[in-house]
Each structure stands twice: as C-alpha cells, then as structure tokens.
Amino acid sequence: MTDGLPSHEPTGESVTGPQDHQLLDELVHSGLSWLDAHRDCFRLPPDVAVDGDVNFTLKPLGELTELTGVIAAAHPLPELRTRAVELQSFAWDQTRQGQLFFELIRSEPFATYPVELYGVFARNGLRHHAAEELAATTTSLQAWRVAREDHTRTLGILNAERRIGLPQHTYREAVSAVTALGIQPEPWAVDRLTAYGITHDVFHLTDWGRDRPALSRDAAAYLRLWAPAWTHIWLEEQFWDLAGEMLAVTACLPDAPYERTAWRRLAAAQAADGSIAETGTTARPLDPDQLFKACYHSTLVTVFAATLARTAAPDTSTPPNGTHSVCPPLLHPK
C-alpha cells in the first residue's frame, strides 16, 4: 500500500459511503501503478505500420488511451488524473504524435481501425492535422459507406467520426436499433460474445461514460433490470474482464446503482501487484509477455469501471480538514 490509500477491507455498510469510495480509489491507484510499471509492453514495434497484428500492437495502445482518458478527465483525485495523463502522453509518443495514423490511413484508406484509433486520441485533444485531412477525404468516399455486418463496430466508427469532426456516414439511431442492445435479447440468451457486444454498444453510445443521458430510457431500463444478474454470473465464473465491463455499464446508467457486493468481489480478485487477470480459473502465466496479455485488458477495464462508479454520484464524506469533497461529473463531449 502506498500514498496513504486504503485497503479493500469491507465495513459491512449497506449503502455507498466513504469506505466504498476508498475501495474504488485503491482499485484505480493499484491498477494504474501496474499499467505504468508495464508501459514498455504497450510500446509499438518499429514496423507496426507495415507488419504485425494490430490486435497485439495498436489495439492495446488504443485501449490504454481510451480508458485512461476517462480517468484523466474525471477522477476526483489529482494524483490519479496525473498518472493517467502521463500514460496518455506515452501512448501519443508511440504514434509519433499522430504521424503513424497518417501513414496507416494512406496505406489502408478504407480500413476503419486507423480512424477509430485516431478518434481516441482526438477525443483527448491529441490531434494530427495531416491525418485528419486525409481521413476527411477517405471517409467522404462512397466505399466508406458500404454497410458493415458488425453493428456495434459501426457505432464505434460513428463515434470516431464525431470525435474527429467528420460527417457521420450513416444514422446512429438506425445502427443502434439493430445492435444487441437495441434488439434486447432474452436475458438467458446473452452469452459472452453477446454480452461484450452489449457493453460496447453502451460505451459507444455514451462516449465511454462521458454522456450518460445519451442512453435511451428503454435501453437503460433493460440494463438496470438485467446487468446485475449478468454481472453475478460472470463473477461466479471468475470471468473478471466481462464482470468489470458489466460494472462499467451499470455505472453508465443514469442515476447509476452501486453494486457493493459485486465491487468487493472484483476488488478481491486484484493481485498484490495491482493487476487483475481476465479469468481466475487458470493459473497466472509465469512468462512476463503472457502475463501482460492475460492481465492488461481486465486491469484497464477495472480502473475505468471504478472511475465511472466513483464519479456517478457526489462524495458527501467529510475529509479531515472539515471541507466537503464533491466528485466532478464526467465531462460531456465537446
């Protein structure tokens, strides 16, 4: 334990209170410490623009930027915001201040991932003029408007277009209606793949929790009813990654309910070094590279979800100096 942040010890309280805020803060603190200590694992290989699997190079870096962006903008503790900003700066440096996105868009003009990833940085104020000019050209072509089967992914593309300031290539409401969240399948029919689709529908629609009111009343009611049960299932299966995403979804709901028991179970899954494995049903890998791959996403998800839960309602606890601390609301899209 460092910086005077508290442990995960429960108090037995039945409502959200200062101890829960402390638990959430410690989850973010420990998780960010682990991510910072492993930042070299996020480094991009020199040939990333022409070779390599983006799922193991650019995708982790984009996820680091996306989720720490929420922490940097909204977490009430300045030391955690500062650490998140430092990780964002590191990620931006890895892209050579955005030059990489210009090269990727030029070499793959109709690939969506360069625009999606650049949109993450643009949302956080990190922009590259030439990359944006080129993206404006490629996304204006008819080929960019070819319908895609993955409607959740299309929501992500639309969100990227909005973040960059590009015209929307199709109507968000029409796409949202045919996602899993829009269709609202029977709760017992929601398997892992469908559940991940639902969580990302929510993230794209709410700009990763920054705009909670953007979620329709109908979708919010569906999630308020069933997300706690799904979270319980994934916790029982020790599938910490999906349980964390479900807790993030719950924290995206208007007047977000706080799932105290679920949060304490997830906190108990955090290792002493601050990492959380995707699943607790297998032994943690000994190889450092494999350990990183097994833990980085679920650790990121946890610090993101804990930040959303922490900022979902004001903290009315009284610090030692006698003043009241109020958590700032998540920032709305510009």
Side-chain angles (χ1 to χ4, degrees), residues 112-168:
T112 61
Y113 76 88
V115 174
E116 292 173 86
L117 289 170
Y118 176 70
V120 175
F121 289 92
R123 178 63 180 83
N124 294 317
L126 302 167
R127 310 188 77 114
H128 187 279
H129 181 69
E132 292 193 19
E133 281 194 335
L134 189 56
T137 298
T138 59
T139 60
S140 69
L141 300 175
Q142 289 299 112
W144 186 259
R145 289 162 172 72
V146 174
R148 300 174 178 89
E149 293 182 2
D150 188 338
H151 303 300
T152 295
R153 183 74 177 272
T154 301
L155 283 182
I157 298 166
L158 290 169
N159 201 32
E161 292 170 344
R162 182 188 59 78
R163 288 171 161 188
I164 299 168
L166 302 171
Q168 303 276 272

Short mmCIF file of all heavy atoms in Angstrom, two decimals, residues 112-168:
data_model
loop_
_atom_site.label_atom_id
_atom_site.label_comp_id
_atom_site.label_asym_id
_atom_site.label_seq_id
_atom_site.Cartn_x
_atom_site.Cartn_y
_atom_site.Cartn_z
N THR A 112 -11.05 0.66 -41.24
CA THR A 112 -11.67 1.53 -40.23
C THR A 112 -10.80 1.73 -39.00
O THR A 112 -10.90 2.75 -38.33
CB THR A 112 -13.02 0.96 -39.80
OG1 THR A 112 -12.83 -0.34 -39.22
CG2 THR A 112 -13.98 0.86 -40.97
N TYR A 113 -9.92 0.76 -38.70
CA TYR A 113 -9.23 0.83 -37.42
C TYR A 113 -8.33 2.06 -37.26
O TYR A 113 -8.24 2.61 -36.15
CB TYR A 113 -8.45 -0.47 -37.16
CG TYR A 113 -7.16 -0.64 -37.93
CD1 TYR A 113 -5.96 -0.15 -37.42
CD2 TYR A 113 -7.13 -1.27 -39.17
CE1 TYR A 113 -4.77 -0.29 -38.12
CE2 TYR A 113 -5.96 -1.42 -39.87
CZ TYR A 113 -4.78 -0.92 -39.35
OH TYR A 113 -3.61 -1.06 -40.04
N PRO A 114 -7.65 2.56 -38.34
CA PRO A 114 -6.85 3.77 -38.11
C PRO A 114 -7.70 4.97 -37.69
O PRO A 114 -7.29 5.76 -36.84
CB PRO A 114 -6.18 4.01 -39.46
CG PRO A 114 -6.17 2.68 -40.13
CD PRO A 114 -7.46 2.05 -39.71
N VAL A 115 -8.88 5.11 -38.29
CA VAL A 115 -9.77 6.22 -37.94
C VAL A 115 -10.32 6.03 -36.53
O VAL A 115 -10.40 6.97 -35.74
CB VAL A 115 -10.91 6.34 -38.97
CG1 VAL A 115 -11.93 7.40 -38.54
CG2 VAL A 115 -10.35 6.67 -40.34
N GLU A 116 -10.72 4.79 -36.21
CA GLU A 116 -11.23 4.51 -34.86
C GLU A 116 -10.18 4.83 -33.80
O GLU A 116 -10.49 5.47 -32.78
CB GLU A 116 -11.64 3.05 -34.75
CG GLU A 116 -12.85 2.67 -35.58
CD GLU A 116 -13.09 1.17 -35.56
OE1 GLU A 116 -13.76 0.70 -34.62
OE2 GLU A 116 -12.59 0.46 -36.47
N LEU A 117 -8.96 4.39 -34.03
CA LEU A 117 -7.90 4.61 -33.04
C LEU A 117 -7.50 6.09 -32.97
O LEU A 117 -7.29 6.62 -31.88
CB LEU A 117 -6.68 3.75 -33.38
CG LEU A 117 -6.86 2.24 -33.15
CD1 LEU A 117 -5.70 1.47 -33.75
CD2 LEU A 117 -6.98 1.94 -31.66
N TYR A 118 -7.41 6.74 -34.13
CA TYR A 118 -7.08 8.16 -34.09
C TYR A 118 -8.17 8.94 -33.35
O TYR A 118 -7.87 9.90 -32.62
CB TYR A 118 -6.89 8.72 -35.50
CG TYR A 118 -6.64 10.21 -35.47
CD1 TYR A 118 -5.44 10.70 -34.96
CD2 TYR A 118 -7.62 11.11 -35.89
CE1 TYR A 118 -5.22 12.08 -34.88
CE2 TYR A 118 -7.39 12.48 -35.82
CZ TYR A 118 -6.20 12.95 -35.30
OH TYR A 118 -5.99 14.31 -35.21
N GLY A 119 -9.42 8.53 -33.51
CA GLY A 119 -10.50 9.19 -32.81
C GLY A 119 -10.34 9.18 -31.30
O GLY A 119 -10.77 10.11 -30.61
N VAL A 120 -9.74 8.13 -30.77
CA VAL A 120 -9.49 8.04 -29.33
C VAL A 120 -8.56 9.17 -28.90
O VAL A 120 -8.81 9.86 -27.90
CB VAL A 120 -8.88 6.67 -28.96
CG1 VAL A 120 -8.51 6.64 -27.49
CG2 VAL A 120 -9.85 5.55 -29.31
N PHE A 121 -7.49 9.37 -29.65
CA PHE A 121 -6.54 10.43 -29.31
C PHE A 121 -7.16 11.81 -29.53
O PHE A 121 -6.97 12.72 -28.72
CB PHE A 121 -5.26 10.26 -30.13
CG PHE A 121 -4.43 9.08 -29.73
CD1 PHE A 121 -4.61 7.85 -30.36
CD2 PHE A 121 -3.49 9.19 -28.73
CE1 PHE A 121 -3.84 6.75 -30.00
CE2 PHE A 121 -2.72 8.09 -28.35
CZ PHE A 121 -2.90 6.87 -28.98
N ALA A 122 -7.91 11.94 -30.63
CA ALA A 122 -8.54 13.23 -30.91
C ALA A 122 -9.51 13.62 -29.80
O ALA A 122 -9.60 14.80 -29.43
CB ALA A 122 -9.27 13.18 -32.26
N ARG A 123 -10.22 12.63 -29.26
CA ARG A 123 -11.17 12.90 -28.16
C ARG A 123 -10.45 13.48 -26.95
O ARG A 123 -11.02 14.28 -26.19
CB ARG A 123 -11.90 11.61 -27.78
CG ARG A 123 -12.89 11.77 -26.61
CD ARG A 123 -13.98 12.74 -27.00
NE ARG A 123 -14.96 12.96 -25.95
CZ ARG A 123 -14.80 13.82 -24.95
NH1 ARG A 123 -13.68 14.51 -24.82
NH2 ARG A 123 -15.76 14.01 -24.06
N ASN A 124 -9.18 13.12 -26.79
CA ASN A 124 -8.40 13.59 -25.65
C ASN A 124 -7.53 14.79 -25.99
O ASN A 124 -6.61 15.12 -25.25
CB ASN A 124 -7.55 12.45 -25.10
CG ASN A 124 -8.41 11.33 -24.52
OD1 ASN A 124 -9.38 11.58 -23.82
ND2 ASN A 124 -8.05 10.09 -24.83
N GLY A 125 -7.82 15.43 -27.15
CA GLY A 125 -7.13 16.66 -27.51
C GLY A 125 -5.79 16.46 -28.18
O GLY A 125 -5.03 17.42 -28.36
N LEU A 126 -5.49 15.23 -28.60
CA LEU A 126 -4.21 14.93 -29.26
C LEU A 126 -4.50 14.75 -30.75
O LEU A 126 -5.09 13.75 -31.16
CB LEU A 126 -3.58 13.67 -28.65
CG LEU A 126 -3.32 13.76 -27.14
CD1 LEU A 126 -2.99 12.40 -26.57
CD2 LEU A 126 -2.19 14.75 -26.86
N ARG A 127 -4.09 15.71 -31.57
CA ARG A 127 -4.54 15.74 -32.95
C ARG A 127 -3.37 15.92 -33.90
O ARG A 127 -2.33 16.50 -33.56
CB ARG A 127 -5.57 16.85 -33.15
CG ARG A 127 -6.71 16.84 -32.11
CD ARG A 127 -7.81 17.82 -32.45
NE ARG A 127 -8.66 17.32 -33.50
CZ ARG A 127 -9.95 17.00 -33.34
NH1 ARG A 127 -10.52 17.11 -32.17
NH2 ARG A 127 -10.66 16.57 -34.36
N HIS A 128 -3.58 15.41 -35.14
CA HIS A 128 -2.57 15.50 -36.20
C HIS A 128 -3.28 16.02 -37.45
O HIS A 128 -4.16 15.34 -38.00
CB HIS A 128 -1.95 14.12 -36.45
CG HIS A 128 -0.80 14.13 -37.40
ND1 HIS A 128 -0.96 14.15 -38.77
CD2 HIS A 128 0.55 14.10 -37.18
CE1 HIS A 128 0.22 14.13 -39.35
NE2 HIS A 128 1.16 14.10 -38.41
N HIS A 129 -2.90 17.22 -37.89
CA HIS A 129 -3.63 17.90 -38.96
C HIS A 129 -3.65 17.09 -40.25
O HIS A 129 -4.72 16.92 -40.88
CB HIS A 129 -3.02 19.28 -39.21
CG HIS A 129 -3.71 20.07 -40.27
ND1 HIS A 129 -4.99 20.57 -40.12
CD2 HIS A 129 -3.31 20.42 -41.54
CE1 HIS A 129 -5.35 21.20 -41.22
NE2 HIS A 129 -4.35 21.13 -42.09
N ALA A 130 -2.52 16.56 -40.68
CA ALA A 130 -2.47 15.84 -41.96
C ALA A 130 -3.29 14.56 -41.90
O ALA A 130 -3.95 14.19 -42.89
CB ALA A 130 -1.01 15.52 -42.31
N ALA A 131 -3.27 13.88 -40.77
CA ALA A 131 -4.07 12.66 -40.63
C ALA A 131 -5.56 12.98 -40.73
O ALA A 131 -6.33 12.23 -41.35
CB ALA A 131 -3.76 11.98 -39.30
N GLU A 132 -5.97 14.10 -40.16
CA GLU A 132 -7.38 14.48 -40.21
C GLU A 132 -7.80 14.88 -41.62
O GLU A 132 -8.91 14.56 -42.06
CB GLU A 132 -7.65 15.61 -39.22
CG GLU A 132 -7.52 15.15 -37.78
CD GLU A 132 -8.09 16.17 -36.79
OE1 GLU A 132 -8.87 17.04 -37.21
OE2 GLU A 132 -7.75 16.05 -35.60
N GLU A 133 -6.92 15.58 -42.32
CA GLU A 133 -7.24 15.95 -43.71
C GLU A 133 -7.41 14.72 -44.58
O GLU A 133 -8.34 14.63 -45.39
CB GLU A 133 -6.14 16.84 -44.28
CG GLU A 133 -6.21 18.28 -43.84
CD GLU A 133 -5.31 19.17 -44.68
OE1 GLU A 133 -4.32 18.66 -45.24
OE2 GLU A 133 -5.61 20.38 -44.80
N LEU A 134 -6.52 13.75 -44.40
CA LEU A 134 -6.61 12.53 -45.19
C LEU A 134 -7.84 11.72 -44.81
O LEU A 134 -8.53 11.17 -45.68
CB LEU A 134 -5.33 11.69 -44.98
CG LEU A 134 -5.15 10.48 -45.90
CD1 LEU A 134 -5.19 10.90 -47.37
CD2 LEU A 134 -3.84 9.78 -45.58
N ALA A 135 -8.14 11.66 -43.51
CA ALA A 135 -9.34 10.94 -43.06
C ALA A 135 -10.60 11.59 -43.60
O ALA A 135 -11.57 10.90 -43.97
CB ALA A 135 -9.38 10.89 -41.53
N ALA A 136 -10.61 12.90 -43.69
CA ALA A 136 -11.77 13.60 -44.24
C ALA A 136 -12.00 13.20 -45.70
O ALA A 136 -13.15 13.09 -46.16
CB ALA A 136 -11.57 15.11 -44.13
N THR A 137 -10.91 12.98 -46.44
CA THR A 137 -11.03 12.56 -47.84
C THR A 137 -11.51 11.12 -47.94
O THR A 137 -12.47 10.83 -48.67
CB THR A 137 -9.68 12.71 -48.55
OG1 THR A 137 -9.28 14.08 -48.53
CG2 THR A 137 -9.77 12.23 -49.99
N THR A 138 -10.87 10.20 -47.24
CA THR A 138 -11.21 8.78 -47.38
C THR A 138 -12.61 8.48 -46.87
O THR A 138 -13.34 7.67 -47.45
CB THR A 138 -10.18 7.90 -46.65
OG1 THR A 138 -10.15 8.25 -45.26
CG2 THR A 138 -8.80 8.07 -47.25
N THR A 139 -13.02 9.13 -45.78
CA THR A 139 -14.35 8.84 -45.22
C THR A 139 -15.47 9.51 -46.01
O THR A 139 -16.65 9.23 -45.77
CB THR A 139 -14.43 9.27 -43.75
OG1 THR A 139 -14.20 10.68 -43.64
CG2 THR A 139 -13.42 8.52 -42.90
N SER A 140 -15.12 10.39 -46.95
CA SER A 140 -16.15 11.03 -47.78
C SER A 140 -16.46 10.21 -49.03
O SER A 140 -17.42 10.52 -49.75
CB SER A 140 -15.70 12.43 -48.19
OG SER A 140 -14.61 12.37 -49.10
N LEU A 141 -15.67 9.16 -49.30
CA LEU A 141 -15.86 8.36 -50.50
C LEU A 141 -17.00 7.37 -50.32
O LEU A 141 -17.33 6.96 -49.20
CB LEU A 141 -14.56 7.63 -50.83
CG LEU A 141 -13.34 8.53 -51.09
CD1 LEU A 141 -12.10 7.68 -51.30
CD2 LEU A 141 -13.60 9.44 -52.29
N GLN A 142 -17.60 6.97 -51.44
CA GLN A 142 -18.72 6.02 -51.38
C GLN A 142 -18.32 4.70 -50.74
O GLN A 142 -19.12 4.07 -50.04
CB GLN A 142 -19.25 5.78 -52.80
CG GLN A 142 -19.98 6.96 -53.41
CD GLN A 142 -21.20 7.34 -52.60
OE1 GLN A 142 -21.26 8.40 -51.97
NE2 GLN A 142 -22.18 6.47 -52.59
N ALA A 143 -17.08 4.27 -50.97
CA ALA A 143 -16.64 2.99 -50.43
C ALA A 143 -16.68 2.96 -48.91
O ALA A 143 -16.83 1.88 -48.31
CB ALA A 143 -15.22 2.68 -50.91
N TRP A 144 -16.55 4.12 -48.29
CA TRP A 144 -16.59 4.18 -46.82
C TRP A 144 -17.99 3.88 -46.31
O TRP A 144 -18.18 3.46 -45.17
CB TRP A 144 -16.13 5.56 -46.35
CG TRP A 144 -16.00 5.69 -44.86
CD1 TRP A 144 -16.88 6.27 -43.99
CD2 TRP A 144 -14.91 5.22 -44.05
NE1 TRP A 144 -16.40 6.20 -42.71
CE2 TRP A 144 -15.20 5.56 -42.71
CE3 TRP A 144 -13.71 4.55 -44.34
CZ2 TRP A 144 -14.34 5.26 -41.66
CZ3 TRP A 144 -12.85 4.25 -43.29
CH2 TRP A 144 -13.16 4.60 -41.98
N ARG A 145 -19.01 4.06 -47.13
CA ARG A 145 -20.39 3.90 -46.71
C ARG A 145 -20.93 2.49 -46.93
O ARG A 145 -22.11 2.24 -46.72
CB ARG A 145 -21.27 4.92 -47.44
CG ARG A 145 -21.04 6.33 -46.96
CD ARG A 145 -21.54 7.38 -47.93
NE ARG A 145 -21.47 8.71 -47.33
CZ ARG A 145 -20.35 9.38 -47.12
NH1 ARG A 145 -19.19 8.85 -47.48
NH2 ARG A 145 -20.36 10.57 -46.56
N VAL A 146 -20.08 1.57 -47.36
CA VAL A 146 -20.52 0.19 -47.54
C VAL A 146 -20.98 -0.35 -46.20
O VAL A 146 -20.28 -0.22 -45.19
CB VAL A 146 -19.38 -0.67 -48.12
CG1 VAL A 146 -19.79 -2.14 -48.16
CG2 VAL A 146 -19.01 -0.18 -49.51
N ALA A 147 -22.15 -0.96 -46.17
CA ALA A 147 -22.72 -1.46 -44.91
C ALA A 147 -21.83 -2.52 -44.30
O ALA A 147 -21.27 -3.36 -45.00
CB ALA A 147 -24.12 -2.02 -45.15
N ARG A 148 -21.70 -2.48 -42.98
CA ARG A 148 -20.90 -3.46 -42.25
C ARG A 148 -21.81 -4.31 -41.39
O ARG A 148 -22.79 -3.82 -40.82
CB ARG A 148 -19.86 -2.74 -41.40
CG ARG A 148 -18.89 -1.90 -42.23
CD ARG A 148 -17.97 -1.09 -41.34
NE ARG A 148 -17.01 -0.32 -42.14
CZ ARG A 148 -17.23 0.90 -42.59
NH1 ARG A 148 -18.38 1.48 -42.34
NH2 ARG A 148 -16.33 1.52 -43.31
N GLU A 149 -21.48 -5.60 -41.28
CA GLU A 149 -22.35 -6.51 -40.54
C GLU A 149 -22.25 -6.31 -39.04
O GLU A 149 -23.21 -6.57 -38.32
CB GLU A 149 -22.00 -7.97 -40.90
CG GLU A 149 -22.33 -8.34 -42.34
CD GLU A 149 -22.01 -9.78 -42.63
OE1 GLU A 149 -21.58 -10.49 -41.71
OE2 GLU A 149 -22.20 -10.20 -43.78
N ASP A 150 -21.09 -5.88 -38.55
CA ASP A 150 -20.91 -5.71 -37.12
C ASP A 150 -21.43 -4.33 -36.73
O ASP A 150 -20.74 -3.32 -36.85
CB ASP A 150 -19.43 -5.85 -36.75
CG ASP A 150 -19.21 -5.87 -35.24
OD1 ASP A 150 -20.08 -5.37 -34.50
OD2 ASP A 150 -18.17 -6.38 -34.80
N HIS A 151 -22.67 -4.29 -36.25
CA HIS A 151 -23.30 -3.00 -35.97
C HIS A 151 -22.68 -2.31 -34.76
O HIS A 151 -22.63 -1.07 -34.71
CB HIS A 151 -24.81 -3.21 -35.78
CG HIS A 151 -25.47 -3.87 -36.95
ND1 HIS A 151 -25.46 -3.32 -38.22
CD2 HIS A 151 -26.11 -5.07 -37.06
CE1 HIS A 151 -26.09 -4.13 -39.05
NE2 HIS A 151 -26.49 -5.19 -38.38
N THR A 152 -22.22 -3.08 -33.80
CA THR A 152 -21.52 -2.48 -32.66
C THR A 152 -20.26 -1.77 -33.14
O THR A 152 -19.95 -0.66 -32.71
CB THR A 152 -21.17 -3.55 -31.61
OG1 THR A 152 -22.39 -4.07 -31.07
CG2 THR A 152 -20.33 -2.96 -30.49
N ARG A 153 -19.53 -2.40 -34.03
CA ARG A 153 -18.32 -1.78 -34.59
C ARG A 153 -18.68 -0.51 -35.35
O ARG A 153 -17.96 0.50 -35.28
CB ARG A 153 -17.63 -2.78 -35.52
CG ARG A 153 -16.31 -2.29 -36.12
CD ARG A 153 -15.19 -2.31 -35.10
NE ARG A 153 -13.92 -1.91 -35.69
CZ ARG A 153 -13.07 -2.75 -36.28
NH1 ARG A 153 -13.36 -4.05 -36.36
NH2 ARG A 153 -11.93 -2.32 -36.76
N THR A 154 -19.81 -0.53 -36.05
CA THR A 154 -20.24 0.67 -36.77
C THR A 154 -20.52 1.81 -35.81
O THR A 154 -20.21 2.97 -36.10
CB THR A 154 -21.48 0.37 -37.63
OG1 THR A 154 -21.18 -0.67 -38.56
CG2 THR A 154 -21.92 1.61 -38.41
N LEU A 155 -21.09 1.51 -34.64
CA LEU A 155 -21.29 2.55 -33.63
C LEU A 155 -19.94 3.15 -33.22
O LEU A 155 -19.83 4.36 -33.01
CB LEU A 155 -21.98 1.98 -32.39
CG LEU A 155 -23.48 1.72 -32.46
CD1 LEU A 155 -23.97 1.20 -31.12
CD2 LEU A 155 -24.25 2.99 -32.85
N GLY A 156 -18.93 2.30 -33.11
CA GLY A 156 -17.60 2.78 -32.77
C GLY A 156 -17.03 3.69 -33.85
O GLY A 156 -16.37 4.70 -33.55
N ILE A 157 -17.27 3.33 -35.10
CA ILE A 157 -16.80 4.16 -36.22
C ILE A 157 -17.51 5.52 -36.21
O ILE A 157 -16.89 6.57 -36.39
CB ILE A 157 -17.02 3.44 -37.56
CG1 ILE A 157 -16.20 2.14 -37.60
CG2 ILE A 157 -16.65 4.35 -38.73
CD1 ILE A 157 -16.59 1.20 -38.71
N LEU A 158 -18.81 5.49 -35.97
CA LEU A 158 -19.57 6.74 -35.90
C LEU A 158 -19.07 7.62 -34.76
O LEU A 158 -18.99 8.84 -34.89
CB LEU A 158 -21.06 6.43 -35.72
CG LEU A 158 -21.77 5.83 -36.94
CD1 LEU A 158 -23.15 5.32 -36.56
CD2 LEU A 158 -21.86 6.86 -38.06
N ASN A 159 -18.75 6.99 -33.64
CA ASN A 159 -18.24 7.76 -32.51
C ASN A 159 -16.89 8.39 -32.86
O ASN A 159 -16.61 9.54 -32.51
CB ASN A 159 -18.10 6.86 -31.28
CG ASN A 159 -18.06 7.66 -29.99
OD1 ASN A 159 -18.67 8.72 -29.88
ND2 ASN A 159 -17.35 7.15 -29.00
N ALA A 160 -16.05 7.63 -33.59
CA ALA A 160 -14.76 8.17 -34.02
C ALA A 160 -14.95 9.35 -34.97
O ALA A 160 -14.25 10.37 -34.86
CB ALA A 160 -13.93 7.08 -34.68
N GLU A 161 -15.88 9.22 -35.91
CA GLU A 161 -16.15 10.31 -36.84
C GLU A 161 -16.58 11.57 -36.09
O GLU A 161 -16.13 12.68 -36.39
CB GLU A 161 -17.23 9.89 -37.84
CG GLU A 161 -16.78 8.81 -38.81
CD GLU A 161 -17.92 8.24 -39.64
OE1 GLU A 161 -19.10 8.46 -39.25
OE2 GLU A 161 -17.64 7.57 -40.64
N ARG A 162 -17.44 11.38 -35.11
CA ARG A 162 -17.92 12.52 -34.33
C ARG A 162 -16.77 13.16 -33.55
O ARG A 162 -16.65 14.39 -33.49
CB ARG A 162 -19.01 12.07 -33.36
CG ARG A 162 -19.61 13.19 -32.52
CD ARG A 162 -20.54 12.64 -31.46
NE ARG A 162 -19.82 11.72 -30.58
CZ ARG A 162 -19.01 12.11 -29.59
NH1 ARG A 162 -18.79 13.39 -29.37
NH2 ARG A 162 -18.42 11.21 -28.83
N ARG A 163 -15.92 12.34 -32.97
CA ARG A 163 -14.81 12.86 -32.18
C ARG A 163 -13.83 13.68 -33.02
O ARG A 163 -13.32 14.70 -32.58
CB ARG A 163 -14.05 11.69 -31.52
CG ARG A 163 -14.82 11.02 -30.40
CD ARG A 163 -14.12 9.75 -29.95
NE ARG A 163 -14.55 9.35 -28.62
CZ ARG A 163 -13.99 8.36 -27.92
NH1 ARG A 163 -12.97 7.68 -28.45
NH2 ARG A 163 -14.42 8.07 -26.71
N ILE A 164 -13.60 13.21 -34.24
CA ILE A 164 -12.65 13.90 -35.11
C ILE A 164 -13.28 15.14 -35.74
O ILE A 164 -12.59 16.10 -36.08
CB ILE A 164 -12.15 12.93 -36.21
CG1 ILE A 164 -11.42 11.74 -35.56
CG2 ILE A 164 -11.22 13.63 -37.19
CD1 ILE A 164 -11.13 10.59 -36.52
N GLY A 165 -14.61 15.12 -35.86
CA GLY A 165 -15.31 16.22 -36.51
C GLY A 165 -15.65 15.93 -37.95
O GLY A 165 -15.87 16.86 -38.74
N LEU A 166 -15.72 14.64 -38.31
CA LEU A 166 -16.07 14.23 -39.66
C LEU A 166 -17.58 14.03 -39.78
O LEU A 166 -18.26 13.73 -38.79
CB LEU A 166 -15.37 12.91 -40.00
CG LEU A 166 -13.84 12.90 -39.91
CD1 LEU A 166 -13.32 11.48 -40.05
CD2 LEU A 166 -13.24 13.81 -40.97
N PRO A 167 -18.15 14.17 -40.98
CA PRO A 167 -19.57 13.88 -41.16
C PRO A 167 -19.87 12.42 -40.82
O PRO A 167 -19.06 11.53 -41.12
CB PRO A 167 -19.81 14.18 -42.65
CG PRO A 167 -18.68 15.07 -43.05
CD PRO A 167 -17.51 14.67 -42.21
N GLN A 168 -21.02 12.17 -40.22
CA GLN A 168 -21.44 10.81 -39.89
C GLN A 168 -21.83 10.08 -41.18
O GLN A 168 -22.63 10.59 -41.97
CB GLN A 168 -22.62 10.83 -38.93
CG GLN A 168 -22.34 11.60 -37.64
CD GLN A 168 -21.62 10.76 -36.60
OE1 GLN A 168 -22.24 10.07 -35.82
NE2 GLN A 168 -20.30 10.83 -36.60
#
